[in-house]
Amino acid sequence: MTAERRLTSEELVRELRTALNADTGWLPALCAPNGPAGLPANAGLEAVVERLLAFASAPEVPAALASVLQRAADAADMALVTEGAAHYHHLGTAYAYLTQAQGLIGRDGQ
């Protein structure tokens, strides 16, 4: 039995940015062409939080998805003001909510 490797804090932020990537992210693709724009690949965590909030309030985003994106933004925002294990926990929570949001798209046929 092999142990699974946990993502690092940097990898979690990279995963959040990937979902919001201007060229390949699933969130910008969901809201194109009139919704919020995506982020560059090197965007900081503050920009990620701001963009998650923009997508959570975008009219193109269904209400169920918007509430999960809001939770992801709130968790990522908490990661901005914490350190160590708490920082990692909040990033992991944001990533989990974003993964849940992506699953809602496929399930609801969005």
CSV table of all heavy atoms in Angstrom, one decimal, residues 63-86:
chain,number,residue,atom,x,y,z
A,63,ALA,N,-27.1,29.8,-9.2
A,63,ALA,CA,-27.1,30.1,-7.7
A,63,ALA,C,-26.4,29.0,-6.9
A,63,ALA,O,-25.6,29.3,-6.0
A,63,ALA,CB,-28.5,30.3,-7.2
A,64,ALA,N,-26.6,27.7,-7.2
A,64,ALA,CA,-26.0,26.7,-6.4
A,64,ALA,C,-24.5,26.7,-6.6
A,64,ALA,O,-23.7,26.5,-5.6
A,64,ALA,CB,-26.5,25.3,-6.9
A,65,LEU,N,-24.0,27.0,-7.8
A,65,LEU,CA,-22.6,27.1,-8.1
A,65,LEU,C,-22.0,28.3,-7.4
A,65,LEU,O,-20.9,28.3,-6.8
A,65,LEU,CB,-22.3,27.1,-9.6
A,65,LEU,CG,-20.9,27.1,-10.1
A,65,LEU,CD1,-20.1,25.9,-9.5
A,65,LEU,CD2,-20.9,27.2,-11.6
A,66,ALA,N,-22.7,29.4,-7.5
A,66,ALA,CA,-22.3,30.7,-6.9
A,66,ALA,C,-22.0,30.5,-5.4
A,66,ALA,O,-21.0,31.1,-4.9
A,66,ALA,CB,-23.3,31.8,-7.2
A,67,SER,N,-22.9,29.8,-4.7
A,67,SER,CA,-22.7,29.7,-3.3
A,67,SER,C,-21.4,28.9,-2.9
A,67,SER,O,-20.7,29.2,-2.0
A,67,SER,CB,-23.9,29.1,-2.6
A,67,SER,OG,-24.1,27.8,-3.0
A,68,VAL,N,-21.1,27.9,-3.7
A,68,VAL,CA,-19.9,27.1,-3.5
A,68,VAL,C,-18.7,27.9,-3.8
A,68,VAL,O,-17.7,27.9,-3.1
A,68,VAL,CB,-20.0,25.8,-4.3
A,68,VAL,CG1,-18.7,25.0,-4.1
A,68,VAL,CG2,-21.1,24.9,-3.9
A,69,LEU,N,-18.8,28.7,-4.9
A,69,LEU,CA,-17.6,29.6,-5.2
A,69,LEU,C,-17.4,30.7,-4.2
A,69,LEU,O,-16.3,31.0,-3.9
A,69,LEU,CB,-17.9,30.3,-6.6
A,69,LEU,CG,-17.9,29.4,-7.8
A,69,LEU,CD1,-18.2,30.1,-9.1
A,69,LEU,CD2,-16.5,28.7,-7.9
A,70,GLN,N,-18.5,31.1,-3.6
A,70,GLN,CA,-18.4,32.1,-2.5
A,70,GLN,C,-17.6,31.5,-1.3
A,70,GLN,O,-16.8,32.1,-0.7
A,70,GLN,CB,-19.8,32.6,-2.0
A,70,GLN,CG,-19.7,33.6,-0.9
A,70,GLN,CD,-19.1,34.9,-1.2
A,70,GLN,OE1,-19.5,35.5,-2.2
A,70,GLN,NE2,-18.2,35.4,-0.4
A,71,ARG,N,-18.0,30.2,-1.0
A,71,ARG,CA,-17.3,29.5,0.1
A,71,ARG,C,-15.8,29.3,-0.2
A,71,ARG,O,-14.9,29.5,0.7
A,71,ARG,CB,-17.9,28.2,0.4
A,71,ARG,CG,-19.3,28.3,1.1
A,71,ARG,CD,-19.9,27.0,1.4
A,71,ARG,NE,-21.3,27.1,1.5
A,71,ARG,CZ,-22.2,26.4,0.7
A,71,ARG,NH1,-21.7,25.6,-0.2
A,71,ARG,NH2,-23.4,26.6,0.9
A,72,ALA,N,-15.5,29.0,-1.5
A,72,ALA,CA,-14.1,28.9,-1.9
A,72,ALA,C,-13.4,30.2,-1.7
A,72,ALA,O,-12.2,30.2,-1.2
A,72,ALA,CB,-14.0,28.4,-3.3
A,73,ALA,N,-14.0,31.3,-2.1
A,73,ALA,CA,-13.4,32.6,-2.0
A,73,ALA,C,-13.2,33.0,-0.5
A,73,ALA,O,-12.1,33.5,-0.1
A,73,ALA,CB,-14.3,33.7,-2.6
A,74,ASP,N,-14.1,32.7,0.3
A,74,ASP,CA,-14.0,33.0,1.8
A,74,ASP,C,-12.8,32.2,2.4
A,74,ASP,O,-12.1,32.7,3.2
A,74,ASP,CB,-15.3,32.6,2.5
A,74,ASP,CG,-16.5,33.5,2.2
A,74,ASP,OD1,-16.2,34.6,1.6
A,74,ASP,OD2,-17.6,33.1,2.5
A,75,ALA,N,-12.7,30.9,2.0
A,75,ALA,CA,-11.6,30.1,2.5
A,75,ALA,C,-10.3,30.6,2.0
A,75,ALA,O,-9.3,30.7,2.8
A,75,ALA,CB,-11.8,28.6,2.1
A,76,ALA,N,-10.2,30.9,0.8
A,76,ALA,CA,-8.9,31.5,0.2
A,76,ALA,C,-8.6,32.8,0.9
A,76,ALA,O,-7.4,33.1,1.1
A,76,ALA,CB,-9.0,31.6,-1.3
A,77,ASP,N,-9.6,33.6,1.2
A,77,ASP,CA,-9.4,34.9,1.8
A,77,ASP,C,-8.8,34.7,3.2
A,77,ASP,O,-7.9,35.4,3.7
A,77,ASP,CB,-10.7,35.7,1.9
A,77,ASP,CG,-10.5,37.1,2.4
A,77,ASP,OD1,-9.6,37.7,2.0
A,77,ASP,OD2,-11.4,37.6,3.1
A,78,MET,N,-9.3,33.7,3.9
A,78,MET,CA,-8.8,33.3,5.3
A,78,MET,C,-7.3,32.9,5.2
A,78,MET,O,-6.5,33.2,6.1
A,78,MET,CB,-9.6,32.3,5.9
A,78,MET,CG,-11.0,32.7,6.4
A,78,MET,SD,-10.9,34.1,7.6
A,78,MET,CE,-10.1,33.3,8.9
A,79,ALA,N,-6.9,32.3,4.1
A,79,ALA,CA,-5.6,31.8,3.9
A,79,ALA,C,-4.6,33.0,3.8
A,79,ALA,O,-3.4,32.9,4.1
A,79,ALA,CB,-5.4,30.9,2.6
A,80,LEU,N,-5.2,34.2,3.4
A,80,LEU,CA,-4.3,35.4,3.3
A,80,LEU,C,-3.9,35.9,4.6
A,80,LEU,O,-2.9,36.6,4.7
A,80,LEU,CB,-5.1,36.5,2.5
A,80,LEU,CG,-5.3,36.3,1.0
A,80,LEU,CD1,-6.3,37.3,0.5
A,80,LEU,CD2,-4.0,36.4,0.3
A,81,VAL,N,-4.7,35.6,5.7
A,81,VAL,CA,-4.4,36.2,7.0
A,81,VAL,C,-3.9,35.2,8.0
A,81,VAL,O,-3.9,35.4,9.2
A,81,VAL,CB,-5.6,37.0,7.5
A,81,VAL,CG1,-5.9,38.2,6.6
A,81,VAL,CG2,-6.8,36.1,7.6
A,82,THR,N,-3.6,34.0,7.5
A,82,THR,CA,-3.2,32.9,8.5
A,82,THR,C,-1.8,32.4,8.0
A,82,THR,O,-1.3,32.7,6.9
A,82,THR,CB,-4.2,31.8,8.5
A,82,THR,OG1,-4.4,31.3,7.2
A,82,THR,CG2,-5.5,32.2,9.1
A,83,GLU,N,-1.2,31.6,8.9
A,83,GLU,CA,0.1,31.0,8.6
A,83,GLU,C,0.1,29.6,9.0
A,83,GLU,O,-0.7,29.1,9.8
A,83,GLU,CB,1.2,31.8,9.4
A,83,GLU,CG,1.4,33.2,9.0
A,83,GLU,CD,2.5,33.9,9.8
A,83,GLU,OE1,3.1,33.3,10.6
A,83,GLU,OE2,2.7,35.1,9.5
A,84,GLY,N,1.1,28.9,8.6
A,84,GLY,CA,1.3,27.5,9.0
A,84,GLY,C,0.2,26.6,8.6
A,84,GLY,O,-0.3,26.6,7.6
A,85,ALA,N,-0.2,25.8,9.6
A,85,ALA,CA,-1.2,24.8,9.4
A,85,ALA,C,-2.6,25.4,9.1
A,85,ALA,O,-3.3,24.8,8.3
A,85,ALA,CB,-1.3,23.9,10.7
A,86,ALA,N,-2.9,26.5,9.7
A,86,ALA,CA,-4.2,27.2,9.4
A,86,ALA,C,-4.2,27.7,8.0
A,86,ALA,O,-5.2,27.5,7.3
A,86,ALA,CB,-4.4,28.3,10.4
